[in-house]
Short mmCIF file of all heavy atoms in Angstrom, two decimals:
data_model
loop_
_atom_site.label_atom_id
_atom_site.label_comp_id
_atom_site.label_asym_id
_atom_site.label_seq_id
_atom_site.Cartn_x
_atom_site.Cartn_y
_atom_site.Cartn_z
N VAL A 16 1.15 -11.05 9.59
CA VAL A 16 2.00 -9.93 9.22
C VAL A 16 1.12 -8.83 8.66
O VAL A 16 0.55 -8.97 7.57
CB VAL A 16 3.07 -10.34 8.16
CG1 VAL A 16 3.97 -9.15 7.85
CG2 VAL A 16 3.90 -11.52 8.66
N PHE A 17 0.94 -7.75 9.42
CA PHE A 17 0.12 -6.62 8.97
C PHE A 17 1.01 -5.56 8.38
O PHE A 17 1.88 -5.00 9.05
CB PHE A 17 -0.67 -6.04 10.15
CG PHE A 17 -1.88 -6.88 10.54
CD1 PHE A 17 -1.79 -7.82 11.54
CD2 PHE A 17 -3.08 -6.70 9.86
CE1 PHE A 17 -2.88 -8.59 11.89
CE2 PHE A 17 -4.17 -7.49 10.20
CZ PHE A 17 -4.10 -8.43 11.20
N VAL A 18 0.80 -5.28 7.11
CA VAL A 18 1.63 -4.34 6.35
C VAL A 18 0.97 -2.96 6.35
O VAL A 18 -0.22 -2.82 6.04
CB VAL A 18 1.83 -4.84 4.91
CG1 VAL A 18 2.71 -3.86 4.13
CG2 VAL A 18 2.46 -6.24 4.93
N LEU A 19 1.74 -1.93 6.68
CA LEU A 19 1.20 -0.58 6.62
C LEU A 19 0.76 -0.25 5.21
O LEU A 19 1.52 -0.44 4.26
CB LEU A 19 2.26 0.43 7.08
CG LEU A 19 2.79 0.32 8.51
CD1 LEU A 19 3.83 1.41 8.77
CD2 LEU A 19 1.66 0.38 9.53
N CYS A 20 -0.47 0.27 5.09
CA CYS A 20 -1.02 0.56 3.77
C CYS A 20 -1.51 1.97 3.67
O CYS A 20 -0.90 2.81 3.00
CB CYS A 20 -2.15 -0.46 3.49
SG CYS A 20 -2.95 -0.25 1.88
N ARG A 21 -2.64 2.28 4.35
CA ARG A 21 -3.18 3.65 4.37
C ARG A 21 -3.35 4.02 5.84
O ARG A 21 -4.33 3.66 6.47
CB ARG A 21 -4.53 3.73 3.63
CG ARG A 21 -5.16 5.11 3.64
CD ARG A 21 -4.27 6.14 2.99
NE ARG A 21 -4.96 7.42 2.83
CZ ARG A 21 -4.49 8.55 3.35
NH1 ARG A 21 -3.42 8.56 4.08
NH2 ARG A 21 -5.16 9.68 3.14
N THR A 22 -2.40 4.70 6.41
CA THR A 22 -2.34 4.93 7.85
C THR A 22 -3.29 6.06 8.27
O THR A 22 -3.71 6.86 7.45
CB THR A 22 -0.90 5.24 8.31
OG1 THR A 22 -0.40 6.36 7.60
CG2 THR A 22 -0.01 4.04 8.07
N SER A 23 -3.58 6.09 9.57
CA SER A 23 -4.64 7.00 10.08
C SER A 23 -4.18 8.45 10.25
O SER A 23 -5.00 9.33 10.44
CB SER A 23 -5.16 6.47 11.40
OG SER A 23 -4.15 6.36 12.36
N ASN A 24 -2.87 8.71 10.19
CA ASN A 24 -2.36 10.04 10.42
C ASN A 24 -2.47 10.91 9.19
O ASN A 24 -2.36 10.41 8.07
CB ASN A 24 -0.87 9.98 10.87
CG ASN A 24 0.00 9.35 9.82
OD1 ASN A 24 -0.26 8.25 9.35
ND2 ASN A 24 1.07 10.03 9.43
N PRO A 25 -2.73 12.23 9.33
CA PRO A 25 -2.88 13.10 8.15
C PRO A 25 -1.64 13.10 7.26
O PRO A 25 -1.73 13.15 6.01
CB PRO A 25 -3.12 14.49 8.76
CG PRO A 25 -3.67 14.20 10.12
CD PRO A 25 -3.01 12.93 10.59
N GLY A 26 -0.44 13.04 7.84
CA GLY A 26 0.79 13.05 7.07
C GLY A 26 1.00 11.85 6.20
O GLY A 26 1.89 11.84 5.33
N GLY A 27 0.22 10.78 6.44
CA GLY A 27 0.36 9.59 5.58
C GLY A 27 0.14 9.91 4.10
O GLY A 27 0.70 9.24 3.23
N SER A 28 -0.65 10.93 3.84
CA SER A 28 -0.91 11.30 2.43
C SER A 28 0.34 11.82 1.71
O SER A 28 0.37 11.81 0.47
CB SER A 28 -2.02 12.37 2.38
OG SER A 28 -3.20 11.88 2.95
N ASP A 29 1.34 12.26 2.46
CA ASP A 29 2.55 12.78 1.83
C ASP A 29 3.15 11.76 0.86
O ASP A 29 3.67 12.14 -0.20
CB ASP A 29 3.59 13.14 2.90
CG ASP A 29 3.16 14.30 3.76
OD1 ASP A 29 2.21 15.01 3.41
OD2 ASP A 29 3.81 14.50 4.82
N LEU A 30 3.13 10.49 1.23
CA LEU A 30 3.66 9.42 0.39
C LEU A 30 2.58 8.48 -0.11
O LEU A 30 2.60 8.05 -1.28
CB LEU A 30 4.72 8.62 1.14
CG LEU A 30 5.99 9.39 1.55
CD1 LEU A 30 6.91 8.46 2.35
CD2 LEU A 30 6.71 9.91 0.30
N GLN A 31 1.62 8.15 0.72
CA GLN A 31 0.69 7.08 0.37
C GLN A 31 -0.29 7.49 -0.77
O GLN A 31 -0.85 6.61 -1.39
CB GLN A 31 -0.09 6.68 1.60
CG GLN A 31 0.78 6.02 2.67
CD GLN A 31 0.17 6.11 4.06
OE1 GLN A 31 -1.02 6.30 4.23
NE2 GLN A 31 1.01 5.92 5.07
N PHE A 32 -0.41 8.78 -1.02
CA PHE A 32 -1.27 9.23 -2.14
C PHE A 32 -0.50 9.54 -3.42
O PHE A 32 -1.11 9.91 -4.40
CB PHE A 32 -2.04 10.46 -1.69
CG PHE A 32 -3.52 10.17 -1.41
CD1 PHE A 32 -3.91 8.97 -0.86
CD2 PHE A 32 -4.48 11.12 -1.72
CE1 PHE A 32 -5.24 8.69 -0.62
CE2 PHE A 32 -5.83 10.85 -1.49
CZ PHE A 32 -6.20 9.65 -0.94
N LEU A 33 0.82 9.37 -3.40
CA LEU A 33 1.59 9.59 -4.62
C LEU A 33 1.17 8.57 -5.68
O LEU A 33 0.97 7.40 -5.37
CB LEU A 33 3.07 9.46 -4.35
CG LEU A 33 3.69 10.49 -3.43
CD1 LEU A 33 5.18 10.19 -3.23
CD2 LEU A 33 3.55 11.90 -4.02
N GLU A 34 1.03 9.01 -6.92
CA GLU A 34 0.55 8.12 -7.96
C GLU A 34 1.73 7.28 -8.51
O GLU A 34 2.85 7.77 -8.72
CB GLU A 34 -0.09 8.90 -9.11
CG GLU A 34 -1.47 9.41 -8.77
CD GLU A 34 -2.33 9.62 -10.00
OE1 GLU A 34 -1.88 9.32 -11.11
OE2 GLU A 34 -3.47 10.06 -9.86
N THR A 35 1.44 6.01 -8.71
CA THR A 35 2.39 5.12 -9.29
C THR A 35 1.63 4.20 -10.25
O THR A 35 0.72 3.48 -9.83
CB THR A 35 3.16 4.28 -8.24
OG1 THR A 35 3.95 3.30 -8.94
CG2 THR A 35 2.27 3.62 -7.26
N GLY A 36 1.93 4.28 -11.53
CA GLY A 36 1.20 3.48 -12.51
C GLY A 36 -0.29 3.86 -12.59
O GLY A 36 -1.12 2.99 -12.87
N GLY A 37 -0.60 5.11 -12.33
CA GLY A 37 -1.98 5.58 -12.48
C GLY A 37 -2.83 5.34 -11.23
O GLY A 37 -4.06 5.56 -11.31
N GLU A 38 -2.27 4.93 -10.13
CA GLU A 38 -3.03 4.70 -8.92
C GLU A 38 -2.22 5.14 -7.71
O GLU A 38 -0.97 5.22 -7.79
CB GLU A 38 -3.42 3.24 -8.76
CG GLU A 38 -2.28 2.28 -8.59
CD GLU A 38 -2.71 0.83 -8.43
OE1 GLU A 38 -3.92 0.56 -8.54
OE2 GLU A 38 -1.84 -0.03 -8.23
N PRO A 39 -2.88 5.46 -6.60
CA PRO A 39 -2.11 5.88 -5.40
C PRO A 39 -1.27 4.76 -4.87
O PRO A 39 -1.61 3.56 -4.98
CB PRO A 39 -3.21 6.32 -4.42
CG PRO A 39 -4.43 5.63 -4.88
CD PRO A 39 -4.35 5.53 -6.36
N LEU A 40 -0.17 5.12 -4.22
CA LEU A 40 0.79 4.15 -3.73
C LEU A 40 0.14 3.19 -2.74
O LEU A 40 0.48 2.00 -2.75
CB LEU A 40 1.96 4.88 -3.06
CG LEU A 40 3.07 3.99 -2.47
CD1 LEU A 40 3.69 3.13 -3.55
CD2 LEU A 40 4.12 4.86 -1.77
N TYR A 41 -0.80 3.64 -1.91
CA TYR A 41 -1.39 2.73 -0.92
C TYR A 41 -2.13 1.59 -1.60
O TYR A 41 -2.11 0.45 -1.09
CB TYR A 41 -2.26 3.49 0.07
CG TYR A 41 -3.66 3.86 -0.40
CD1 TYR A 41 -4.73 3.00 -0.25
CD2 TYR A 41 -3.87 5.10 -1.00
CE1 TYR A 41 -6.01 3.35 -0.70
CE2 TYR A 41 -5.15 5.44 -1.44
CZ TYR A 41 -6.21 4.58 -1.28
OH TYR A 41 -7.46 4.92 -1.72
N LEU A 42 -2.76 1.84 -2.76
CA LEU A 42 -3.42 0.75 -3.46
C LEU A 42 -2.41 -0.18 -4.14
O LEU A 42 -2.66 -1.37 -4.30
CB LEU A 42 -4.41 1.31 -4.49
CG LEU A 42 -5.76 1.82 -3.93
CD1 LEU A 42 -6.66 2.31 -5.06
CD2 LEU A 42 -6.46 0.73 -3.13
N ARG A 43 -1.29 0.38 -4.56
CA ARG A 43 -0.21 -0.43 -5.09
C ARG A 43 0.30 -1.38 -4.01
O ARG A 43 0.55 -2.56 -4.26
CB ARG A 43 0.91 0.46 -5.62
CG ARG A 43 2.18 -0.29 -6.01
CD ARG A 43 1.97 -1.23 -7.16
NE ARG A 43 3.22 -1.87 -7.54
CZ ARG A 43 3.27 -3.02 -8.20
NH1 ARG A 43 2.18 -3.64 -8.54
NH2 ARG A 43 4.46 -3.51 -8.52
N VAL A 44 0.44 -0.86 -2.79
CA VAL A 44 0.86 -1.72 -1.66
C VAL A 44 -0.17 -2.80 -1.41
O VAL A 44 0.18 -3.97 -1.23
CB VAL A 44 1.07 -0.85 -0.39
CG1 VAL A 44 1.26 -1.75 0.83
CG2 VAL A 44 2.28 0.06 -0.57
N ALA A 45 -1.45 -2.44 -1.42
CA ALA A 45 -2.49 -3.43 -1.21
C ALA A 45 -2.45 -4.53 -2.23
O ALA A 45 -2.57 -5.74 -1.89
CB ALA A 45 -3.88 -2.74 -1.22
N SER A 46 -2.25 -4.19 -3.48
CA SER A 46 -2.19 -5.18 -4.54
C SER A 46 -0.95 -6.06 -4.38
O SER A 46 -1.02 -7.30 -4.56
CB SER A 46 -2.14 -4.51 -5.90
OG SER A 46 -3.34 -3.80 -6.16
N LEU A 47 0.18 -5.46 -4.05
CA LEU A 47 1.41 -6.20 -3.89
C LEU A 47 1.28 -7.23 -2.76
O LEU A 47 1.68 -8.41 -2.94
CB LEU A 47 2.56 -5.24 -3.54
CG LEU A 47 3.98 -5.72 -3.59
CD1 LEU A 47 4.36 -6.22 -4.98
CD2 LEU A 47 4.92 -4.63 -3.14
N VAL A 48 0.71 -6.83 -1.65
CA VAL A 48 0.52 -7.74 -0.55
C VAL A 48 -0.43 -8.88 -0.93
O VAL A 48 -0.18 -10.06 -0.68
CB VAL A 48 0.02 -7.00 0.71
CG1 VAL A 48 -0.30 -7.97 1.81
CG2 VAL A 48 1.11 -5.99 1.18
N ALA A 49 -1.57 -8.51 -1.52
CA ALA A 49 -2.59 -9.51 -1.83
C ALA A 49 -2.15 -10.48 -2.92
O ALA A 49 -2.44 -11.69 -2.83
CB ALA A 49 -3.88 -8.82 -2.27
N ASP A 50 -1.44 -9.95 -3.92
CA ASP A 50 -1.13 -10.78 -5.09
C ASP A 50 0.22 -11.51 -5.01
O ASP A 50 0.35 -12.57 -5.66
CB ASP A 50 -1.15 -9.90 -6.35
CG ASP A 50 -2.50 -9.25 -6.62
OD1 ASP A 50 -3.51 -9.77 -6.10
OD2 ASP A 50 -2.53 -8.25 -7.32
N LYS A 51 1.17 -10.97 -4.28
CA LYS A 51 2.52 -11.57 -4.31
C LYS A 51 3.04 -11.99 -2.93
O LYS A 51 3.75 -13.00 -2.84
CB LYS A 51 3.49 -10.57 -4.92
CG LYS A 51 3.24 -10.27 -6.42
CD LYS A 51 4.32 -9.42 -7.04
CE LYS A 51 4.09 -9.20 -8.52
NZ LYS A 51 5.14 -8.37 -9.13
N TRP A 52 2.73 -11.23 -1.90
CA TRP A 52 3.35 -11.51 -0.61
C TRP A 52 2.56 -12.47 0.25
O TRP A 52 3.13 -13.04 1.19
CB TRP A 52 3.57 -10.20 0.17
CG TRP A 52 4.59 -9.27 -0.45
CD1 TRP A 52 5.30 -9.47 -1.57
CD2 TRP A 52 4.94 -7.98 0.03
NE1 TRP A 52 6.10 -8.42 -1.83
CE2 TRP A 52 5.91 -7.45 -0.88
CE3 TRP A 52 4.57 -7.22 1.12
CZ2 TRP A 52 6.48 -6.21 -0.69
CZ3 TRP A 52 5.14 -5.97 1.31
CH2 TRP A 52 6.11 -5.48 0.40
N ASN A 53 1.31 -12.67 -0.06
CA ASN A 53 0.44 -13.43 0.84
C ASN A 53 0.43 -14.92 0.51
O ASN A 53 -0.63 -15.58 0.48
CB ASN A 53 -0.99 -12.87 0.77
CG ASN A 53 -1.84 -13.29 1.94
OD1 ASN A 53 -1.35 -13.54 3.01
ND2 ASN A 53 -3.18 -13.37 1.69
N ARG A 54 1.61 -15.49 0.28
CA ARG A 54 1.69 -16.89 -0.17
C ARG A 54 1.15 -17.85 0.87
O ARG A 54 0.57 -18.88 0.48
CB ARG A 54 3.14 -17.21 -0.49
CG ARG A 54 3.78 -16.39 -1.59
CD ARG A 54 5.14 -16.90 -1.94
NE ARG A 54 6.04 -17.01 -0.80
CZ ARG A 54 6.80 -16.01 -0.33
NH1 ARG A 54 6.73 -14.80 -0.91
NH2 ARG A 54 7.61 -16.20 0.71
N HIS A 55 1.30 -17.56 2.12
CA HIS A 55 0.84 -18.46 3.17
C HIS A 55 -0.49 -18.05 3.76
O HIS A 55 -0.92 -18.61 4.77
CB HIS A 55 1.90 -18.53 4.29
CG HIS A 55 3.27 -18.94 3.84
ND1 HIS A 55 3.52 -20.15 3.23
CD2 HIS A 55 4.47 -18.28 3.90
CE1 HIS A 55 4.80 -20.23 2.93
NE2 HIS A 55 5.40 -19.12 3.29
#
């Protein structure tokens, strides 16, 4: 299961660079996948 994180299109920055908890959203997604979703 490949989860969209930091996409190759320029418009990806519209949302993926928004800060959440002091970091960009794409890194929040990366942490969420690595730490919680990757059980198997």
Side-chain angles (χ1 to χ4, degrees):
V16 182
F17 283 95
V18 180
L19 298 180
C20 179
R21 179 61 172 121
T22 56
S23 58
N24 60 306
S28 300
D29 294 346
L30 295 178
Q31 294 159 18
F32 254 35
L33 294 177
E34 285 206 3
T35 173
E38 65 180 3
L40 180 60
Y41 78 89
L42 283 181
R43 172 64 178 157
V44 170
S46 296
L47 191 62
V48 174
D50 298 339
K51 294 187 177 181
W52 293 359
N53 198 29
R54 299 187 305 274
H55 304 300

